[in-house]
Amino acid sequence: MSRRPRLGAIALAVTVAALLTACGGDDGDSSAAPSEDAATSETPAAEEAPSGTVTVLAAASLTESFETLADQLQDTYPELEIVYSFGPSSGLVEQVLAGAPADVLATADTKTMDQAVAGGVVDGEPEIFARNTLALAVPAGNPGNVTGLADLANPDLRIAICEPQVPCGGAAQRLLDAAGVTAAPDTLTTDVKEAASLVALGEADAALIYLTDAAAEGDAVETVDVPEADAVVNDYPVAVLSEAANAEGARAVLDAITGEPGRGILTEAGFLEP
Amino acid sequence: MSRTRRSQDLRVPAGLLIPAALGVAILVLPMVGLIVRAPWGDLPSILGSDEVLTALRLSLVTATVSTGVALVCGVPVAWLLARTDLPGRSVLRGLVTVPLVLPPVVGGVALLMVFGRRGLVGGWLYDTFGISLPFTTEAVVLAQVFVAMPFLIVAVEGALRTADRRYEDVAATLGASSWTTFRRVTLPGVAPGVLAGAVLCWARALGEFGATVTFAGSFPGTTRTLPLEAYVAINSGNSDVAIVLSLLMIAVSVTILVGLRDRWIGAA
């Protein structure tokens, strides 16, 4: 009778161990292996077309452009499936450092990418593929009568700005410093899309978001010309991750981002050429 | 007697034990992971930092105010559900407990559509009185009440249903008005259930994130509660701060749930 609890303890230990190894081992190769086989059997001698799943972690501001890019790549490489996770660059880097299974990382500034490089999770040298500037965005009709950066200091207006640690927030801080304005934000958003939504909904009277995100909101958002904005430019780097399960597919996606068709799509969305 | 009972408990079939062990592992391992990764040496400096103290203060104040609002409004709802034959009572019960299963972000979006500056009620508030709720501490309270009050309602309704109603009947036959009966007889009778519901409600309000960030925003001192501070920390690359804050909230939750175990099970 005294054996039962010991048996139980062993069973628990075994189960926990099994669970841990299952979580660790399964994820990595599940996407690459079967489709790679399919590709090689179809085109045995010829140049291998990239296939399988490529997981791309990308800055929130790249959402629309990268989704368009995925659609186009689908036509070129039918065997390739791109899965995106969009978010604040600093949060994405944190995920990669914590071991999130991903193949490609694209951030909205070099500072966050440098952290990934320093953490040893990037394969090779990151490549700058686009640049972006900020815009002073207001809801359609400009209900707060915002005319320039100085209005961001008005406590009566509802202002949304990105967290200082995320790229759009860092850029916003540099822009405000350059203009000598101390902003009075009512909310700090963790990514640029959240600030853009607040403006589009009319809940914020003004927000500093990327020009591309203001454009992506369409008619719901207008921009106020800010002469100082040209001085603050974020460089967008992209890199293949060293733990990439599908390095070949990752390389193909990176090539698409840095060359055509990526360049065309990004320019169309309002990004500047690197 | 207790001996034979014990030996029966120990005969656990492997078919139950293995999935149970898996279940426990899934639920408990994440917390173990936090404890293992926690920067114990930096704990005092992180917990004592201005940002954390500001968020902690805001969280304690808003969760307490929210619990007060939930008590004032939620106990009457529970009474209606438990004591009356209101037509459509089960529909009402479903409606007021929806936030229990609703993703809080959905609640936040809904609150924004109603109480936002261009919302159904919020638009009127803004145009008539110039009141704008989003990005204010009041919005945090509203979000917390929305998410946490159902816990109180469920607990209090359970207590009311299991309570002995004869005292109320006696009070009524002795000439007490229904309001007096409620105040002097019903409420004291279910006080432990109300307390348990209030504590659960408070804990849920303290942990509220999704509705808060969506509806109230995130600004230090005004709307950035502890869970938001943790989210900002992990998204800004300050994982140490995020881990410490997560541990703090887990410690509070575990303390409350272990303390309430019997009462909660009794109520449900």
Side-chain angles (χ1 to χ4, degrees):
Chain A
M1 210 194 81
S2 64
R3 231 179 253 164
R4 300 257 177 212
R6 227 186 299 156
L7 247 173
I10 293 166
L12 179 82
V14 168
T15 322
V16 169
L19 183 79
L20 286 174
T21 45
C23 290
D26 222 36
D27 275 22
D29 43 22
S30 60
S31 54
S35 33
E36 224 166 26
D37 285 351
T40 41
S41 62
E42 273 167 32
T43 51
E47 195 181 321
E48 263 183 52
S51 63
T53 306
V54 176
T55 305
V56 180
L57 303 184
S61 46
L62 293 165
T63 308
E64 293 83 6
S65 305
F66 273 21
E67 271 165 3
T68 310
L69 182 68
D71 290 344
Q72 291 203 9
L73 274 185
Q74 198 66 61
D75 298 337
T76 324
Y77 306 123
E79 299 285 314
L80 196 66
E81 196 199 344
I82 303 180
V83 178
Y84 287 119
S85 174
F86 296 105
S89 302
S90 42
L92 297 174
V93 169
E94 197 65 30
Q95 288 174 17
V96 177
L97 292 175
D103 302 290
V104 178
L105 173 69
T107 64
D109 70 0
T110 46
K111 189 180 130 202
T112 45
M113 182 59 84
D114 288 346
Q115 286 164 359
V117 173
V121 295
V122 165
D123 183 27
E125 195 72 16
E127 225 173 304
I128 307 292
F129 65 95
R131 297 156 79 220
N132 212 349
T133 52
L134 288 175
L136 180 55
V138 299
N142 195 359
N145 292 318
V146 174
T147 55
L149 285 177
D151 288 317
L152 295 180
N154 182 352
D156 294 335
L157 292 176
R158 298 285 179 183
I159 311 290
I161 292 179
C162 298
E163 275 294 326
Q165 295 92 337
V166 303
C168 60
Q173 198 51 59
R174 294 203 302 280
L175 178 56
L176 289 165
D177 287 348
V181 174
T182 306
D186 293 276
T187 189
L188 301 174
T189 66
T190 48
D191 72 39
V192 67
K193 287 293 178 196
E194 200 184 327
S197 295
L198 290 174
V199 175
L201 282 171
E203 295 299 340
D205 295 311
L208 281 177
I209 58 178
Y210 294 119
L211 197 60
T212 53
D213 291 300
E217 292 292 345
D219 291 341
V221 166
E222 296 173 8
T223 58
V224 174
D225 269 335
V226 177
E228 301 92 330
D230 294 339
V232 176
V233 179
N234 269 15
D235 288 332
Y236 281 57
V238 61
V240 172
L241 296 170
S242 40
E243 295 284 310
N246 184 1
E248 204 177 317
R251 190 57 61 186
V253 172
L254 185 133
D255 288 345
I257 293 170
T258 54
E260 288 299 333
R263 188 145 303 182
I265 293 167
L266 289 159
T267 315
E268 182 78 13
F271 285 94
L272 308 171
E273 301 238 0
Chain B
M1 172 78 184
S2 69
R3 230 188 117 87
T4 49
R5 191 66 180 269
R6 238 196 125 84
S7 64
Q8 269 177 355
D9 280 351
L10 284 174
R11 234 168 272 135
V12 184
L16 289 184
L17 193 64
I18 290 168
L22 254 172
V24 171
I26 290 169
L27 295 174
V28 175
L29 267 184
M31 294 181 238
V32 175
L34 273 178
I35 292 170
V36 170
R37 280 288 309 274
W40 293 104
D42 299 333
L43 207 70
S45 67
I46 291 176
L47 283 177
S49 69
D50 279 348
E51 298 85 55
V52 170
L53 287 180
T54 305
L56 181 65
R57 197 176 306 122
L58 182 69
S59 268
L60 293 177
V61 169
T62 52
T64 307
V65 173
S66 300
T67 305
V69 174
L71 276 168
V72 170
C73 304
V75 172
V77 174
W79 187 86
L80 282 177
L81 292 176
R83 284 285 191 272
T84 64
D85 284 320
L86 223 62
R89 201 181 43 174
S90 54
V91 175
L92 181 67
R93 181 185 294 112
L95 287 176
V96 298
T97 49
V98 157
L100 287 177
V101 292
L102 206 64
V105 173
V106 173
V109 173
L111 286 170
L112 201 56
M113 292 309 129
V114 174
F115 295 108
R117 215 157 54 166
R118 293 189 181 171
L120 232 49
V121 178
W124 172 76
L125 278 178
Y126 185 65
D127 295 337
T128 318
F129 307 104
I131 296 172
S132 168
L133 275 173
F135 315 131
T136 63
T137 308
E138 288 81 357
V140 176
V141 170
L142 200 52
Q144 289 177 349
V145 170
F146 179 81
V147 172
M149 187 158 64
F151 285 83
L152 179 108
I153 293 176
V154 167
V156 176
E157 195 202 345
L160 282 169
R161 285 190 177 281
T162 49
D164 194 337
R165 295 187 60 171
R166 279 176 299 180
Y167 297 108
E168 292 171 28
D169 295 340
V170 170
T173 54
L174 289 176
S177 71
S178 53
W179 174 238
T180 308
T181 307
F182 172 77
R183 263 189 322 123
R184 306 286 292 271
V185 181
T186 314
L187 207 50
V190 294
V194 174
L195 182 71
V199 174
L200 261 184
C201 173
W202 185 83
R204 181 64 191 85
L206 196 73
E208 170 27 50
F209 169 77
T212 309
V213 76
T214 312
F215 174 54
S218 168
F219 193 76
T222 321
T223 52
R224 185 172 297 167
T225 53
L226 278 181
L228 272 67
E229 190 71 45
Y231 182 67
V232 167
I234 195 77
N235 272 327
S236 312
N238 298 323
S239 52
D240 279 359
V241 176
I243 292 169
V244 169
L245 290 177
S246 305
L247 272 179
L248 176 66
M249 282 179 282
I250 286 177
V252 171
S253 308
V254 169
T255 308
I256 285 175
L257 289 177
V258 170
L260 275 183
R261 193 192 55 135
D262 295 329
R263 205 148 271 163
W264 174 237
I265 287 169

